[in-house]
Amino acid sequence: MQSFGPGKFPTLLYKPPAVFFSVFFWYTVRMSEILCDDLEDIAVKAGALILENGGETYRAEETVVRTARSLGAADASAFITPTVVILSYIDEYGHHHTNMRRIYRRGTNLKKVALVNDLSRRMEMHRRMLNPKRVKNILSRIENTEGYSTTVVILAAAVSSFFFTLLFGGTLVDGLCAFLIGLVLRIVLLNLDRLTHNSFIVSLISGSIISVTTDLIGLTGFKVDTSVVMIGTLMQVVPGLALVNSIRDIIAGDLMSGTARLVDAVMIAAGLSVGAASGVFAARFL
């Protein structure tokens, strides 16, 4: 076996400390980047799920900040509007990080909101014992959680139209007409959801369908109060949740988000009004 005396170390053996510390430093930095990416992805995705499924702005902000801190952020803050989620935080080494996600789709699924909210609170309890990969898998499962079946959604919309019509003073015949119109309307809306997420366009089409079908039923000779039937059917597409969330955001101090939600609700109501009016005029010329 060859031995090496003083001054005879090979180049590879002569510089092991430098090589070791270089590799160690690279590995540490790389792991830090991965952890930061995990933190940002998880926190921003949690906030996005809250917004996309009908949650309030303050709830989304609390979820983002709570999630970021539970994953190791020394200090975190969030700026959220109905169309964007922005996270800014400082890690344990004093470095600043920022991440943003654009929100394109907004719907209503309070089950997902409750699941994300519960997950963030459980993460806050466990803190550093969390496994980022496992948390990502849980968020993915929540995102892909199936809601009610299409049949249940269609029947629920039709039944709500039926009882709203009775509530506004309609007869049993009026309620049955609203049931059929609500059934057709929900089927159309479910198909429209695959084509566009523009709330104004959807509202415009919804108002037109309701007014045209109601007037056509009135032309058949049935004793139907078309105004009551139209109002009862419109109730299933009135932006009640958006209006309530806008008021809650304004009360909570989120003036920008609250105003944006309020404008969104007004635009939806305007689309329903314009669509219903245009449908009435169109039905008269049929």
Side-chain angles (χ1 to χ4, degrees), residues 9 27 32 55 64 80 106 125 157 178 227 233 241 247:
F9 290 102
Y27 180 77
S32 176
V64 172
I80 294 177
R106 293 190 299 276
M125 293 175 58
S227 299
T233 311
L241 182 62
I247 296 174

Side-chain angles (χ1 to χ4, degrees), residues 216-236:
L216 289 178
I217 291 176
L219 295 174
T220 58
F222 287 102
K223 293 182 178 180
V224 177
D225 190 339
T226 56
S227 299
V228 175
V229 173
M230 191 179 299
I231 294 172
T233 311
L234 279 169
M235 288 301 295
Q236 68 162 290

Side-chain angles (χ1 to χ4, degrees), residues 5-56:
K8 296 183 179 180
F9 290 102
T11 303
L12 182 62
L13 298 179
Y14 183 70
K15 299 181 179 179
V19 174
F20 172 77
F21 285 116
S22 297
V23 173
F24 177 77
F25 177 76
W26 177 87
Y27 180 77
T28 304
V29 172
R30 184 60 182 167
M31 288 301 294
S32 176
E33 290 177 355
I34 293 174
L35 291 176
C36 289
D37 290 343
D38 289 339
L39 187 154
E40 294 166 9
D41 290 343
I42 292 172
V44 172
K45 185 174 184 178
L49 285 175
I50 294 288
L51 280 184
E52 290 174 349
N53 292 284
E56 307 90 333

Side-chain angles (χ1 to χ4, degrees), residues 61-84:
E61 288 183 351
E62 289 179 356
T63 299
V64 172
V65 172
R66 187 183 295 120
T67 303
R69 288 177 177 172
S70 66
L71 290 171
D75 186 23
S77 60
F79 178 77
I80 294 177
T81 69
T83 57
V84 69

